């Protein structure tokens, strides 16, 4: 269903993806969901008037299978180019079981501050690691598509240090998200939510409760994500809305 001008929210199971109108009959997705749920997503997209051949790009929020497991299936039916964070394709081999992306599926890799233009849209990648090393919030105007960074109820994404979660990164990413002054947050599970100080405080409290719990395996463990090198300036990637190979 269209939840804002040119933004559709599509849910199946507990997975939420978004479709964006890029103009000229071209659409972009933010995440694509798992392979298991993909047929239902396609049906739901069709009900919104969006068919695979009109999907020109997919913006990935992080490597988890419930966000990008259907990429291979989508690419078989659509000209979509996949844009993800550079760390999404450097997932350690022990994470492959939960990963839905690979180097072969990623057409463009971005880093913090990079911008991607497609049709009338311009999305900025904000690297906000913590839930995973590659977590990205995609900024479209004042709206942010945030994957599993936080949720309507102030929850935080599932944490496992063996799969790249990091409490310190997570804490600074939540604070950074607030500083970016989003208007609306569009998460990968549940309903959209307006950003507020209260939401930030809830998310930080939930993260702390997880980290401080007796016997918590996540406190002070894991490695912080590798940040952008300060000597490499952000880049702009321009994607055509033409839906055939060029
Ligand atoms: Zn996740």
């Amino acid at each position: 269903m269209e939840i804002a001008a040119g933004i559709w929210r599509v849910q199946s199971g507990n997975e939420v993806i978004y479709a964006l109108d890029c103009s000229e009959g071209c659409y972009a997705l933010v995440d694509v969901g798992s392979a298991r749920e993909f047929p239902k997503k396609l049906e739901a997209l069709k009900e919104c008037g969006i068919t695979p051949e009109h999907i020109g790009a997919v913006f990935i929020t992080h490597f988890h299978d419930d966000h990008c497991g259907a990429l291979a299936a989508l690419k078989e039916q659509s000209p979509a180019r996949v844009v993800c964070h550079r760390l999404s394709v450097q997932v350690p081999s022990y994470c492959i079981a939960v990963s839905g992306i690979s180097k072969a599926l990623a057409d463009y890799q971005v880093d913090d501050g990079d911008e991607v233009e497609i049709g009338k849209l311009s999305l900025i990648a904000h690297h906000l690691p913590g839930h995973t090393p590659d977590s990205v919030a995609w900024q479209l105007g004042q709206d942010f598509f945030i994957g599993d960074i936080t949720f309507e109820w102030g929850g935080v994404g599932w944490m496992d240090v063996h799969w790249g979660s990091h409490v310190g990164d997570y804490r600074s990413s939540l604070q950074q998200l607030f500083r970016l002054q989003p208007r609306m947050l569009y998460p990968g599970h549940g309903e959209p939510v307006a950003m507020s100080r209260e939401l930030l405080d809830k998310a930080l409290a939930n993260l702390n409760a997880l980290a401080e719990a007796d016997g918590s395996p996540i406190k002070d463990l894991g490695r912080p994500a590798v940040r952008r090198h300060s000597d490499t300036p952000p880049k702009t990637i321009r994607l055509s809305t033409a839906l055939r190979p060029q």
Side-chain angles (χ1 to χ4, degrees), residues 133-207:
D134 64 328
S135 289
V136 166
W138 287 102
Q139 178 184 0
L140 176 65
Q142 287 179 286
D143 297 329
F144 284 58
F145 299 88
I146 57 169
D148 289 351
I149 294 171
T150 189
F151 304 101
E152 186 197 4
W153 57 94
V156 289
W158 169 73
M159 298 283 287
D160 189 322
V161 288
H162 302 297
W163 291 343
S165 304
H166 188 267
V167 175
D169 270 355
Y170 213 144
R171 200 170 282 132
S172 48
S173 289
L174 287 168
Q175 285 157 342
Q176 175 63 10
L177 180 63
F178 182 71
R179 276 195 296 272
L180 291 165
Q181 299 186 304
R183 186 182 63 90
M184 286 303 289
L185 301 177
Y186 294 101
H189 306 279
E191 298 294 328
V193 60
M195 186 70 204
S196 65
R197 179 84 224 182
E198 192 190 347
L199 186 77
L200 170 70
D201 289 342
K202 267 194 209 166
L204 287 171
N206 281 322
L207 178 66

Side-chain angles (χ1 to χ4, degrees), residues 62 64 67 131 148:
H62 64 296
H64 281 162
H67 294 261
H131 170 57
D148 289 351

